[in-house]
Amino acid sequence: MSKNKQREHWGSKIGFILAAAGSAVGLGNIWKFPYIAGENGGAAFILVYLICIAIIGLPVLIAEVLMGRTTQRNPVGAFRKLSNSPFWASVGGLGVLAGFVILSFYAVVAGWSFGYIVEAFKGSFSNFSKVGASGDYFTSLTGNIYWIVGYLAVFIALTMSIVYFGVQKGIERASKIMMPLLIVILLILMVRGLTLPGSGKGLEFLLKPDWSHITGQAVLIALGHAFFTLSLGMGAMMTYGSYMSKEDNIPSAALQIVFLDTIIALIAGIAIFTAVFATAENPAVGPGLIFHTLPVVFSKMAGGYIFGILFFILLTIAALTSAISLLEVVIAYFVDERGWKRHNAVITFGFITFLVGIPSALSFNVMSDFKIFGLNFFDFVDFLASNILLPLGGLLISIFVAWIWGFDKALANLKSGAENLFERNFWIVSTWKVFIKYFAPVLIFIVLLNSIGIL
Ligand code: PFF
């Protein structure tokens, strides 16, 4: 456990920001956010979502990064060092477990995205003139065990190949290449969407609030998504924070990460809905929006061949920079706490994640009738992680920082690197206090009760 001397660090501030934004920006932004916004009324939902990001997401993000930076440890070590309590160490353990579970099903969807790059190159989308054909094609691909398990393996291997090279040479270097590329592709797609005739209706859908859609349920979906999209509640941001130096300004870094995550989700929304409306497709189709509807949109759009390829490259990059942060949580634990060598840990746990991912992949074919609490395996692990483990982790992290470690101690550590903010804009710090002590625990608790069906 005293490997701290050789513990790796980010090479630069921007390296940390891009890696953390890479973790945040993922399938959640490009796949999930547009479809949940589409199902819940567009602009009004987005407004509620932005409020959730500001009052819950940002304060919890600061808390997580701070725990990591203060202790320079993985989530288990971080909780243990600050509390000396086995109970709290096991909360960190829950995070490591969540990392495993999320990566196992996340990589299945990311694998589809990779497979769709190949389909886009092959020109498969050109035959889809309506969603039915495209949906059937998707079902036939995911029904093929070799296709789905094969791409799961490819995607996990890609993730492993980055984490294998460590924090600076692997994660930071990959993020510095992939994040700018992601932003460029997204901007190209947004401009294409906006220049399509009839795109205005898509913009209107995103920008003109229809308050009738804002139900209690929609607010809870927005709050839950705020967690997932910022990679909170399982120690990913804590782990990345643990490679930061004490001179770095956490509130400012957190603000930049939240800004990038939010703006990228909004731009993805614009790119997708302008194209969906311009081609007169349905915006509220749920999870099938990306894999069923978009290929049809590309088949109808001038230049759709190339934009289809670009879109699925974008989605795969976004998923990859998130997947590496999930794997890194597990690796950091085994390296810090168990004294494993990084290379061995990556090979072992990458392979185990692949094995755990197989039942998720098979949920779309041979195991589709296998149900746990009425859900297939994929939906079950997704529900378990996104609706239970992440909010529970977020709840415990905010309680821990505000009440167990203690707000004043946390504040003293937060000051390092952020002296200017403390001197000039102390009200921001006081606001954080109110949010992390009261708002975050109460609101997250409500989301959790709702997830388990009590509310
Ligand atoms: N934030 C990622 C997304 O929006 O796709 C998902 C995620 C990554 C969640 C890493 C949790 C995590 F630790």
Side-chain angles (χ1 to χ4, degrees):
M1 252 193 277
S2 58
K3 278 146 215 86
N4 235 13
K5 274 197 210 103
Q6 317 129 359
R7 192 176 179 78
E8 287 190 79
H9 280 97
W10 302 110
S12 59
K13 266 187 210 154
I14 185 75
F16 165 70
I17 290 176
L18 288 179
S23 169
V25 175
L27 296 172
N29 302 60
I30 319 246
W31 173 56
K32 210 166 178 186
F33 174 76
Y35 90 70
I36 56 176
E39 282 181 328
N40 290 285
F45 176 83
I46 293 176
L47 222 60
V48 174
Y49 166 80
L50 292 179
I51 296 172
C52 295
I53 291 280
I55 66 174
I56 307 290
L58 184 60
V60 177
L61 175 60
I62 293 176
E64 270 205 33
V65 175
L66 178 63
M67 279 181 71
R69 187 188 68 171
T70 306
T71 58
Q72 305 275 300
R73 293 271 203 284
N74 67 91
V76 174
F79 274 105
R80 185 183 292 133
K81 195 168 172 191
L82 294 172
S83 69
N84 233 335
S85 129
F87 167 76
W88 286 104
S90 68
V91 171
L94 205 67
V96 176
L97 185 74
F100 247 134
V101 174
I102 298 182
L103 184 55
S104 73
F105 72 83
Y106 199 82
V108 172
V109 180
W112 300 344
S113 176
F114 194 92
Y116 263 57
I117 300 179
V118 177
E119 294 304 316
F121 266 112
K122 279 173 26 193
S124 307
F125 305 156
S126 61
N127 313 321
F128 304 154
S129 50
K130 49 179 192 350
V131 181
S134 161
D136 292 346
Y137 195 70
F138 176 76
T139 313
S140 78
L141 288 178
T142 51
N144 177 339
I145 301 178
Y146 299 107
W147 189 86
I148 197 165
V149 175
Y151 280 116
L152 167 69
V154 169
F155 185 79
I156 291 192
L158 269 177
T159 309
M160 289 164 66
S161 69
I162 296 172
V163 177
Y164 186 87
F165 290 103
V167 175
Q168 269 193 36
K169 294 211 183 91
I171 300 174
E172 183 168 352
R173 192 192 284 169
S175 305
K176 278 182 164 166
I177 299 170
M178 289 197 282
M179 289 308 284
L181 186 62
L182 178 146
I183 292 171
V184 171
I185 298 181
L186 197 57
L187 290 175
I188 295 175
L189 292 172
M190 179 182 76
V191 171
R192 168 75 281 210
L194 287 172
T195 50
L196 287 170
S199 64
K201 286 205 204 82
L203 268 190
E204 192 178 301
F205 176 73
L206 277 172
L207 301 177
K208 211 169 124 201
D210 172 1
W211 296 105
S212 67
H213 279 90
I214 296 307
T215 56
Q217 192 59 28
V219 174
L220 292 171
I221 293 177
L223 203 52
H225 187 63
F227 259 86
F228 187 79
T229 192
L230 290 175
S231 307
L232 297 176
M234 51 145 296
M237 289 301 184
M238 206 180 289
T239 306
Y240 274 12
S242 76
Y243 304 123
M244 260 177 130
S245 94
K246 305 265 181 222
E247 284 81 55
D248 292 334
N249 184 331
I250 294 182
S252 128
L255 208 62
Q256 293 177 61
I257 295 163
V258 167
F259 174 76
L260 279 171
D261 185 71
T262 309
I263 195 90
I264 287 176
L266 292 175
I267 297 179
I270 294 177
I272 291 171
F273 286 118
T274 47
V276 167
F277 276 87
T279 48
E281 290 298 331
N282 180 1
V285 292
L289 186 64
I290 294 293
F291 293 102
H292 298 181
T293 311
L294 279 192
V296 183
V297 169
F298 293 129
S299 81
K300 289 185 183 172
M301 173 200 276
Y305 176 77
I306 197 79
F307 293 111
I309 295 173
L310 283 177
F311 180 82
F312 286 103
I313 292 180
L314 163 80
L315 188 64
T316 308
I317 292 179
L320 190 54
T321 51
S322 298
I324 55 182
S325 73
L326 288 162
L327 185 58
E328 180 61 21
V329 175
V330 180
I331 301 310
Y333 167 74
F334 281 94
V335 170
D336 286 353
E337 302 295 309
R338 306 269 161 180
W340 283 53
K341 290 213 163 38
R342 170 174 286 274
H343 293 176
N344 297 341
V346 170
I347 291 170
T348 309
F349 294 101
F351 186 65
I352 295 180
T353 317
F354 166 67
L355 295 181
V356 180
I358 290 178
S360 284
L362 298 185
S363 303
F364 295 87
N365 36 69
V366 291
M367 274 175 61
S368 58
D369 291 331
F370 174 80
K371 297 271 156 69
I372 312 173
F373 296 117
L375 299 171
N376 70 29
F377 191 86
F378 177 96
D379 291 335
F380 174 74
V381 281
D382 179 7
F383 177 80
L384 180 70
S386 316
N387 299 55
I388 311 273
L389 293 178
L390 292 189
L392 184 64
L395 175 68
L396 292 168
I397 287 167
S398 51
I399 293 177
F400 182 83
V401 168
W403 302 96
I404 310 291
W405 180 19
F407 186 77
D408 293 338
K409 280 198 210 130
L411 208 57
N413 283 288
L414 187 66
K415 189 167 179 181
S416 167
E419 288 80 5
N420 266 349
L421 178 77
F422 276 61
E423 276 156 29
R424 296 209 199 114
N425 284 313
F426 197 73
W427 64 270
I428 297 182
V429 179
S430 319
T431 316
W432 183 57
K433 178 174 181 170
V434 179
F435 284 173
I436 201 75
K437 273 185 120 161
Y438 308 106
F439 273 59
V442 172
L443 290 174
I444 301 168
F445 189 58
I446 296 175
V447 174
L448 202 58
L449 288 184
N450 176 268
S451 294
I452 51 182
I454 295 183
L455 265 184

